[in-house]
Amino acid sequence: MVKQIVRKGLKKSYYKVENNLHSKVKGKVLVSRTIKQNLVKNKPLHTFCSYDEFGFNGLENRLLKKALSFVERYLPTIKNLQTDNYTTEIFNYINPAFQFVSEEVSLYDVKNTKTNVFYKEYKEAIHLAKLILKRFGYNVSNIQEKTINTPPFWIDMSKLFELYVYGKLKERFPLKNDVKYLFKTNYQELDFIIDSKIENYQMVVDAKYKPQYKEGNINKEDIRQVSGYARMKSVYKELHKEDNYNQVIDCLIIYSDQGAGRKDFANANFREETEDNYVQFYKIGIELPTLIVNDHTKKSL
């Protein structure tokens, strides 16, 4: 990609420059740096200034050169690479074009690059450059022969469990407004509100991906959190109870339990299992899907 850019010609752009000028002022005077590094050190004729210049040393070109330096150092660590002559030829073609381009790029700059429609090749090249820099943690010293294990992504299991529970609740309460998901109010967020007149359920529900709950009581902090949601005026309004603030709203915590024997809520009684010492506070477990792996044992998702 960079070879194509060099063949077409590097993009010129305006970029910020900070210099300690002697006997002249240009652009914006950086007062604090001038005092600390010049006046305090008895250099009254020097002034730190910030100004724009137009040339090849723009952010995009600096980002590409930084990534090229990573690639140039990394390629020799690949064993049995049969393209040494080819890559050497490419670098000999590319490097002269970047002779006057700096490699100084901050992590903040990497996240704030822009592309120009007149230089379409830059878009893909910059995208690849960011991936390369991220792969090495933006530190050229991280380049080594051994393989670095990098997870492709992280899974937010709490959020995934919420979505799974939401799907199961919608199966149990298929009417449009029986289950409300992620009802936000006053910068606080609860998971679900069940408002089913057919089955006589009006509940504040929270999904907790905490398998340890099958062993005993619910954590008191979680009880207080859900109870707090159930005391919000906006929740009473959502359940059409604005004129009856004295009525206690049912609270329910749904947790993951591989021994529950319940794969859905088809015939579940949400008021069956109560939490000791708390009024109208209930809990219910649900099994997560499992896989059959090669050794014929079940693995929980």
Side-chain angles (χ1 to χ4, degrees):
M1 292 301 302
V2 178
K3 185 178 180 181
Q4 293 180 25
I5 291 173
V6 172
R7 185 182 295 116
K8 184 177 179 179
L10 296 185
K11 180 179 73 170
K12 284 187 176 183
S13 61
Y14 283 98
Y15 53 92
K16 286 285 184 183
V17 176
E18 294 183 2
N19 273 331
N20 196 10
L21 304 178
H22 182 267
S23 300
K24 63 179 180 179
V25 174
K26 186 176 182 180
K28 179 182 178 181
V29 176
L30 303 178
V31 179
S32 60
R33 293 189 64 182
T34 300
I35 294 174
K36 291 178 181 179
Q37 299 188 33
N38 291 330
L39 298 182
V40 173
K41 297 179 181 180
N42 197 25
K43 298 180 180 178
L45 298 180
H46 287 77
T47 306
F48 258 103
C49 297
S50 173
Y51 52 93
D52 291 335
E53 282 193 356
F54 185 76
F56 294 116
N57 200 31
L59 173 60
E60 291 78 12
N61 290 334
R62 285 186 281 123
L63 176 60
L64 294 180
K65 186 170 183 179
K66 184 75 171 180
L68 284 172
S69 66
F70 275 67
V71 173
E72 196 168 10
R73 289 189 57 178
Y74 179 72
L75 286 178
T77 67
I78 301 176
K79 296 180 180 180
N80 302 321
L81 185 65
Q82 303 297 323
T83 57
D84 288 346
N85 294 334
Y86 175 69
T87 54
T88 300
E89 178 185 340
I90 291 181
F91 277 113
N92 289 339
Y93 181 83
I94 289 174
N95 287 337
F98 285 86
Q99 181 179 357
F100 300 105
V101 177
S102 170
E103 292 185 15
E104 295 181 4
V105 181
S106 68
L107 184 58
Y108 174 81
D109 291 335
V110 170
K111 296 179 179 179
N112 291 277
T113 56
K114 296 180 181 179
T115 56
N116 190 315
V117 294
F118 294 104
Y119 295 90
K120 296 179 180 179
E121 297 83 1
Y122 270 84
K123 184 176 181 180
E124 181 65 18
I126 288 174
H127 172 67
L128 295 173
K130 289 180 179 179
L131 292 178
I132 292 169
L133 294 178
K134 188 175 182 180
R135 161 66 175 78
F136 295 108
Y138 306 97
N139 187 353
V140 73
S141 63
N142 287 339
I143 295 176
Q144 47 193 327
E145 292 186 8
K146 67 179 183 180
T147 302
I148 300 174
N149 293 324
T150 305
F153 52 82
W154 295 102
I155 298 177
D156 186 344
M157 287 304 300
S158 296
K159 180 61 67 175
L160 186 61
F161 183 62
E162 284 180 16
L163 295 171
Y164 179 74
V165 169
Y166 179 55
K168 295 302 179 182
L169 288 175
K170 290 298 291 182
E171 291 177 3
R172 170 65 184 272
F173 305 102
L175 295 182
K176 182 178 180 181
N177 293 320
D178 275 4
V179 180
K180 299 177 177 65
Y181 176 55
L182 290 181
F183 174 77
K184 296 182 179 180
T185 177
N186 296 332
Y187 301 102
Q188 300 187 55
E189 181 180 289
L190 56 89
D191 292 342
F192 314 103
I193 290 179
I194 297 177
D195 185 13
S196 175
K197 294 179 176 59
I198 296 177
E199 298 197 40
N200 192 28
Y201 281 117
Q202 285 190 314
M203 288 180 154
V204 170
V205 185
D206 205 53
K208 297 293 183 185
Y209 181 70
K210 296 183 178 180
Q212 67 268 26
Y213 279 172
K214 67 181 179 181
E215 304 295 339
N217 294 331
I218 303 296
N219 183 287
K220 290 183 179 180
E221 292 301 321
D222 290 340
I223 293 176
R224 290 167 182 162
Q225 178 191 38
V226 181
S227 298
Y229 292 150
R231 301 302 174 263
M232 291 180 178
K233 290 184 178 180
S234 51
V235 173
Y236 276 84
K237 182 178 180 181
E238 195 71 24
L239 294 174
H240 307 290
K241 294 178 176 290
E242 306 98 308
D243 299 329
N244 195 2
Y245 287 141
N246 294 326
Q247 183 177 351
V248 178
I249 297 176
D250 290 348
C251 296
L252 174 68
I253 285 183
I254 300 175
Y255 60 93
S256 59
D257 182 2
Q258 293 307 102
R262 181 184 297 105
K263 299 183 183 300
D264 55 49
F265 299 122
N267 299 308
N269 179 3
F270 292 115
R271 295 191 180 98
E272 180 178 3
E273 187 175 357
T274 61
E275 183 64 16
D276 296 340
N277 302 322
Y278 292 92
V279 176
Q280 292 178 220
F281 203 102
Y282 310 97
K283 60 183 179 181
I284 188 170
I286 186 171
E287 286 189 5
L288 296 176
T290 56
L291 292 174
I292 302 298
V293 293
N294 293 334
D295 59 357
H296 302 290
T297 60
K298 289 186 176 181
K299 299 292 183 181
S300 170
L301 289 181

